[in-house]
C-alpha cells in the first residue's frame, strides 16, 4: 500500500489529477501519515505565530481530506472553511467535523465564495507540481484583502520549477514575507518543503 499514489502524483496528466485525487481519497490520510507528512503541522504553527486572531475566518484552500484543517485546529484556529476540486476528498473532510463550510471548486478558478471575506488563507501542499498550477498563487493573492495573511508551502519539486518561483516573485512585489522556513515535508520520501506566510499588500 505504501506510496500507492505518492509515486504517481508528479507524473499524472494535469487533466486527470482530479480523478487521481478522487481515487486516492480513502487511502490519502493513511499513506501520508505513514510517511510522516510534516508540512501541515509546520504551516499551522507558522501561521499561528503571526496571526493576531485565531477565531477569524480561515479558508483551507485545497483542503483535501482535512489533514491540514486538523493541524490548523490543533494550534487553535476555530473558524475553518474549506474547498477542494475533489468530491472524494471532501467526503473524507466532512467526516472530520472540523469545518464550518466545505465547497467543491473546479479547475476554472471560479470560486463559490469571496476570498476577500477571509483574513486568513492556508494552501497546504496545494500550489505545487502535482497539484495546482503556478498561476494559482497570484490569482489567490489578487482576490484577498490588503492585510490578510496567506500561508502556503512549496515542496522541493516546486522549488526547482521556475514558473512557481516566478509566481512567488510576482506576489512578493506587493506582499510582505512574514515567515519563510525550510523543513521536512514527507520524511518517508526524504522530501522537504518551504513554508511561507505572506501579508497581502
Amino acid at each position: 500500500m505504501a506510496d500507492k499514489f505518492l509515486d504517481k502524483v508528479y507524473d499524472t496528466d494535469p487533466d486527470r489529477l482530479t480523478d487521481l485525487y478522487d481515487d486516492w481519497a480513502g487511502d490519502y490520510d493513511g499513506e501520508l501519515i505513514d510517511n510522516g507528512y510534516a508540512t501541515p503541522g509546520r504551516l499551522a504553527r507558522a501561521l499561528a505565530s503571526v496571526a493576531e486572531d485565531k477565531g477569524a475566518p480561515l479558508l483551507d484552500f485545497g483542503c483535501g481530506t482535512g489533514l491540514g484543517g486538523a493541524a490548523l485546529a490543533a494550534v487553535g484556529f476555530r473558524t475553518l472553511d474549506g474547498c477542494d476540486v475533489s468530491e472524494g476528498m471532501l467526503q473524507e473532510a466532512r467526516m472530520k467535523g472540523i469545518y464550518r463550510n466545505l465547497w467543491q471548486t473546479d479547475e476554472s478558478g471560479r470560486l463559490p465564495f469571496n476570498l476577500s471575506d477571509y483574513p486568513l488563507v492556508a494552501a497546504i501542499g496545494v500550489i505545487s507540481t502535482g497539484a495546482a498550477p503556478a498561476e494559482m498563487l497570484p490569482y489567490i493573492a489578487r482576490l484577498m484583502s490588503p492585510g490578510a495573511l496567506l500561508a502556503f508551502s512549496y515542496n522541493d519539486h516546486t522549488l526547482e520549477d521556475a514558473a512557481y518561483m516566478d509566481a512567488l516573485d510576482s506576489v512578493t512585489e506587493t506582499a510582505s514575507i512574514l515567515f519563510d522556513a525550510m523543513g521536512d515535508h514527507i520524511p518517508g520520501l526524504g522530501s522537504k518543503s518551504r513554508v511561507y506566510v505572506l501579508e497581502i499588500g
Side-chain angles (χ1 to χ4, degrees):
M1 182 70 73
D3 304 346
K4 178 180 176 184
F5 290 94
L6 280 171
D7 59 1
K8 296 179 183 178
V9 70
Y10 299 114
D11 299 319
T12 297
D13 187 305
D15 294 333
R16 291 209 64 255
L17 276 172
T18 299
D19 293 337
L20 175 73
Y21 281 101
D22 281 339
D23 292 343
W24 193 2
D27 296 326
Y28 184 86
D29 286 12
E31 189 168 346
L32 285 170
I33 290 168
D34 286 349
N35 281 280
Y37 191 28
T39 295
R42 290 179 52 231
L43 187 146
R45 291 188 295 273
L47 184 56
S49 73
V50 296
E52 294 183 359
D53 181 7
K54 291 183 182 176
L58 190 163
L59 180 70
D60 186 3
F61 190 94
C63 64
T65 63
L67 276 179
L72 291 161
V75 297
F77 291 104
R78 302 188 296 278
T79 311
L80 299 176
D81 293 342
C83 66
D84 202 90
V85 296
S86 166
E87 176 56 30
M89 291 281 185
L90 288 170
Q91 289 175 10
E92 298 292 323
R94 288 187 190 100
M95 290 191 287
K96 288 186 170 62
I98 55 176
Y99 293 99
R100 180 181 64 171
N101 299 299
L102 285 167
W103 294 280
Q104 185 175 14
T105 54
D106 60 40
E107 291 86 348
S108 71
R110 292 188 300 270
L111 301 175
F113 49 82
N114 293 317
L115 267 172
S116 59
D117 292 338
Y118 291 93
L120 304 169
V121 175
I124 304 173
V126 174
I127 304 166
S128 67
T129 56
E135 56 266 27
M136 186 60 69
L137 182 65
Y139 175 75
I140 292 172
R142 281 195 304 272
L143 295 176
M144 293 175 65
S145 296
L149 302 184
L150 172 59
F152 63 98
S153 59
Y154 273 4
N155 62 29
D156 39 18
H157 293 274
T158 306
L159 290 165
E160 295 172 359
D161 190 314
Y164 286 91
M165 300 313 294
D166 288 346
L168 176 58
D169 288 342
S170 73
V171 171
T172 55
E173 287 178 3
T174 55
S176 302
I177 299 176
L178 303 184
F179 185 96
D180 174 2
M182 194 76 173
D184 285 334
H185 177 46
I186 306 176
L189 302 183
S191 61
K192 302 286 186 180
S193 67
R194 199 169 197 106
V195 165
Y196 300 93
V197 182
L198 307 184
E199 181 176 0
I200 302 300

